[in-house]
Amino acid sequence: MKKSTWFILSGLIAALLLAGVVSNFASGHPDGLDSVAREGCTFDAAGNITGGTCMAQSETGNQTEDSPLAGYGLRGVGNEFLSTGLSGVIGVVATFAIGGGVFWLLRAGSKDRKKQTA
């Protein structure tokens, strides 16, 4: 195999391992955007807004909450660790397939243009 093929395959394997295993150890409660959106409001123990003014007051429901991969998991899989891992693996495979397809199309198009100019 060519060096570039080994490089791509090793990157894909690393991404699959990170998505399938390491993603389970990420925080389930990210704090970056949420904490900024909640600045200026007061909250009760359940997380409901009790006063103040902040961006979180205009928050609406997630439009993709009914999708199969909503909430960093795979719907229908009872084991949370497996659900999160499979969701990450599906995301990596889909991204790799779409990216690979785009590069393949671009490469095929450039080969056609070279043949036409020759």
Side-chain angles (χ1 to χ4, degrees):
M1 274 196 225
K2 293 192 286 184
K3 248 184 182 180
S4 60
T5 304
W6 281 109
F7 180 75
I8 291 170
L9 286 177
S10 63
L12 178 61
I13 290 169
L16 287 169
L17 285 172
L18 288 171
V21 179
V22 178
S23 63
N24 283 290
F25 301 105
S27 172
H29 303 284
D31 60 1
L33 182 58
D34 280 344
S35 68
V36 171
R38 296 167 68 104
E39 283 181 7
C41 284
T42 55
F43 295 86
D44 62 13
N48 299 318
I49 298 173
T50 58
T53 304
C54 62
M55 288 190 307
Q57 291 172 318
S58 61
E59 180 180 31
T60 60
N62 185 343
Q63 295 177 355
T64 61
E65 64 190 349
D66 294 329
S67 71
L69 297 174
Y72 302 108
L74 188 61
R75 184 183 307 172
V77 177
N79 183 328
E80 188 176 337
F81 189 87
L82 183 62
S83 173
T84 303
L86 285 174
S87 175
V89 167
I90 289 170
V92 167
V93 169
T95 302
F96 184 79
I98 292 168
V102 167
F103 282 118
W104 180 78
L105 288 172
L106 290 173
R107 195 175 102 191
S110 68
K111 285 182 180 179
D112 289 343
R113 276 186 253 123
K114 285 181 183 177
K115 285 181 183 177
Q116 290 175 356
T117 58

